[in-house]
Amino acid sequence: MQEDVLIQISNKIKETRKTQKKTVQELATKAQVSKGLISQIENNRTVPSLPVLMNIVLALNIDLKDFFEDISHNKEGQQKIIIKTAASYQAFEKEPAKGFKYKRILTRNMDAGPVDTILLELKKGARRTQMIKTDAYEYKYIIKGRVEYQIEEEKYVLEEGDSLFFDGRLSHKPANIGNTDALMLVIYFFLTSNKD
């Protein structure tokens, strides 16, 4: 199964940088963008503008044609039914945080914008120290465990079978407050008006 084109581009930038043993800072400096922007692009938190994307590809010393050669372009509506087995879920690092293990289930472009479906495993005691923001609406479904979500100043405790939907542009952070590992289904509905 092919992933959304933007996700493929983000993954290819990250994989190429790592293969070339370049740090995020080295790539950012060469592409004349911020380290934070490279990190956001690689972790699918923002969509680069075309000039920024071209600068990054050129900073990786790759011909543009070669870079896009194996990027798959799925036509809207081409696949009506999509099945993915648990073994095919793609593990990835969204940001450095101990005890957080993300697995991408499905990414698809929809009329309203990209949608990213993920399994997030929170090890017992896992918590984020800093609040974060995402350019997406977020849906969380607790498959197992007990999770506390802080959104702005409010805290919400979610247990198995509970769900949460919110505007990810609000500062937020999760914490596993249960006695076991927690597992969540997470769906990001990305906003299409992202700016670099």
Side-chain angles (χ1 to χ4, degrees):
M1 176 183 318
Q2 302 302 326
E3 291 185 327
D4 177 78
V5 173
L6 296 174
I7 302 296
Q8 291 180 68
I9 289 170
S10 297
N11 290 344
K12 188 157 187 181
I13 289 170
K14 189 173 193 174
E15 288 165 13
T16 305
R17 177 183 62 75
K18 287 186 171 183
T19 300
Q20 294 180 2
K21 299 186 183 339
K22 287 184 177 168
T23 66
V24 172
Q25 184 61 66
E26 288 170 340
L27 178 57
T29 300
K30 196 165 181 186
Q32 299 180 336
V33 296
S34 71
K35 177 182 175 182
L37 180 58
I38 294 290
S39 181
Q40 286 183 334
I41 292 167
E42 286 189 353
N43 293 302
N44 308 308
R45 287 186 172 273
T46 193
V47 178
S49 65
L50 186 56
V52 167
L53 177 58
M54 289 177 66
N55 283 349
I56 292 169
V57 173
L58 294 174
L60 290 167
N61 299 316
I62 302 174
D63 182 87
L64 287 170
K65 182 179 176 290
D66 293 339
F67 181 84
F68 289 104
E69 193 170 46
D70 61 349
I71 301 290
S72 300
H73 300 273
N74 287 335
K75 292 180 179 172
E76 185 105 18
Q78 188 176 12
Q79 290 180 290
K80 300 281 184 184
I81 300 171
I82 299 167
I83 298 171
K84 287 193 83 171
T85 61
S88 69
Y89 296 164
Q90 179 189 1
F92 71 102
E93 181 181 309
K94 200 159 184 70
E95 69 276 316
K98 190 176 180 180
F100 284 65
K101 181 179 179 185
Y102 289 89
K103 284 188 178 179
R104 178 164 289 112
I105 297 172
L106 175 68
T107 301
R108 273 326 222 202
N109 224 1
M110 300 178 74
D111 289 344
V115 176
D116 206 5
T117 307
I118 291 166
L119 279 178
L120 171 57
E121 183 182 333
L122 294 178
K123 295 293 184 185
K124 181 180 173 182
R127 61 179 57 245
R128 227 185 234 117
T129 54
Q130 296 181 340
M131 302 283 272
I132 62 164
K133 293 182 180 182
T134 308
D135 287 328
Y137 287 98
E138 299 189 25
Y139 172 80
K140 318 283 181 171
Y141 175 83
I142 309 303
I143 298 170
K144 70 174 186 177
R146 193 164 188 254
V147 178
E148 178 188 83
Y149 250 89
Q150 180 175 345
I151 303 174
E152 300 286 334
E153 303 302 321
E154 295 289 325
K155 291 184 179 179
Y156 307 90
V157 176
L158 304 170
E159 308 211 14
E160 187 173 320
D162 293 344
S163 62
L164 170 68
F165 180 83
F166 66 99
D167 187 338
R169 293 171 293 186
L170 299 172
S171 298
H172 60 278
K173 65 177 180 179
N176 183 347
I177 59 171
N179 297 321
T180 62
D181 292 353
L183 184 64
M184 289 191 292
L185 174 68
V186 180
I187 303 176
Y188 296 98
F189 300 88
F190 286 98
L191 306 168
T192 54
S193 59
N194 292 345
K195 295 178 182 177
D196 292 338

